[in-house]
Amino acid sequence: MEEALERLLAESPELAAAHANLKADEIMVQREKVEPIPNLFIEGSAGRNFEASETVYGVRAFVEVPLFDWNQGTIRQAKADWRRQRNEVRRTELSLRQSLADWFRRFRTALQKVTEYQNVILPQSEQRYVTRLKSYRADRETWPGVLEAQQDFFHRRLIYIDQLVAWRQAQVAIDGFLLVGGLEPPAGVVPPGHIDSVPKPR
């Protein structure tokens, strides 16, 4: 469990995306802080003074100094976005921990049932079926009793297969960073080409 949790927190694509968004918000805060710093503009010019028959040069420098607008509102907004994304990183981490605990519980439960069915339930059920079949051949058991034992054995095998599937699903989910259901359509999305029914279609 601890090894899977460390791997999940270190390599989860969901958490990596949240950290990337946090880094982008940090850069945005830094950018907005330097936005009000004025730029120094320097212009150079050259020309010809025909009266004095000489070439003249000129240099001009100017700075736009913001007196009132120091970008305070945008800086506050960028900081708020950064704080929100920092909390989103924490929320994503807690959500992954909770999902991992749920999938690990499913994994352990299914594994326990698979082991129990392999070692105890299926051998006993098969032995009952074989014993009743032998008793029927020796005229000590009725055929409905044999069918009942056979049906019970097959039913328990189906349950065993279901538990095997649940165990493998949980194992795949844990090994796959809990990224499940990617091939299922998203809920609430209208498929392309859909026309809503109206009383008077055009």
Side-chain angles (χ1 to χ4, degrees):
M1 174 69 175
E2 293 299 327
E3 182 180 351
L5 178 60
E6 291 179 4
R7 178 173 172 267
L8 179 65
L9 296 180
E11 303 178 20
S12 170
E14 293 180 71
L15 199 55
H19 279 293
N21 291 334
L22 180 62
K23 185 63 177 177
D25 286 340
E26 290 177 0
I27 294 173
M28 183 60 68
V29 170
Q30 296 172 2
R31 180 191 179 281
E32 296 300 334
K33 284 182 178 179
V34 300
E35 182 70 20
I37 298 176
N39 294 322
L40 176 63
F41 297 94
I42 299 177
E43 293 182 359
S45 60
R48 180 75 178 167
N49 187 345
F50 292 100
E51 293 181 4
S53 296
E54 60 183 10
T55 303
V56 293
Y57 302 94
V59 176
R60 183 175 68 163
F62 61 93
V63 176
E64 295 180 358
V65 180
L67 297 179
F68 302 104
D69 183 13
W70 287 91
N71 207 27
Q72 303 96 321
T74 310
I75 292 174
R76 289 193 188 117
Q77 181 181 355
K79 287 183 177 179
D81 290 341
W82 174 77
R83 285 191 293 269
R84 178 195 55 77
Q85 186 58 37
R86 185 179 59 182
N87 292 332
E88 179 64 19
V89 170
R90 181 62 179 159
R91 187 202 65 79
T92 303
E93 180 180 333
L94 292 176
S95 176
L96 289 175
R97 286 175 180 267
Q98 182 179 4
S99 297
L100 179 63
D102 182 54
W103 278 109
F104 194 75
R105 176 188 56 79
R106 297 185 197 179
F107 173 81
R108 291 297 300 269
T109 301
L111 178 60
Q112 181 180 3
K113 290 183 178 180
V114 165
T115 304
E116 185 178 358
Y117 269 81
Q118 281 180 343
N119 298 333
V120 179
I121 297 177
L122 283 182
Q124 289 180 355
S125 180
E126 184 179 13
Q127 184 61 39
R128 278 195 302 270
Y129 166 62
V130 171
T131 301
R132 287 195 175 186
L133 185 60
K134 289 181 179 179
S135 297
Y136 171 76
R137 290 173 180 168
D139 291 330
R140 294 193 304 269
E141 180 65 69
T142 62
W143 184 244
V146 176
L147 291 179
E148 180 183 354
Q150 185 185 45
Q151 182 180 10
D152 178 72
F153 175 54
F154 288 166
H155 176 68
R156 293 181 187 277
R157 285 195 57 165
L158 289 176
I159 297 176
Y160 168 69
I161 292 172
D162 290 339
Q163 294 303 323
L164 274 178
V165 171
W167 173 48
R168 289 297 296 162
Q169 284 179 339
Q171 187 176 15
V172 168
I174 293 172
D175 293 341
F177 306 111
L178 310 182
L179 299 175
V180 295
L183 298 179
E184 298 177 2
V189 177
V190 179
H194 177 74
I195 300 176
D196 294 329
S197 299
V198 294
K200 295 181 180 179
R202 41 179 206 276

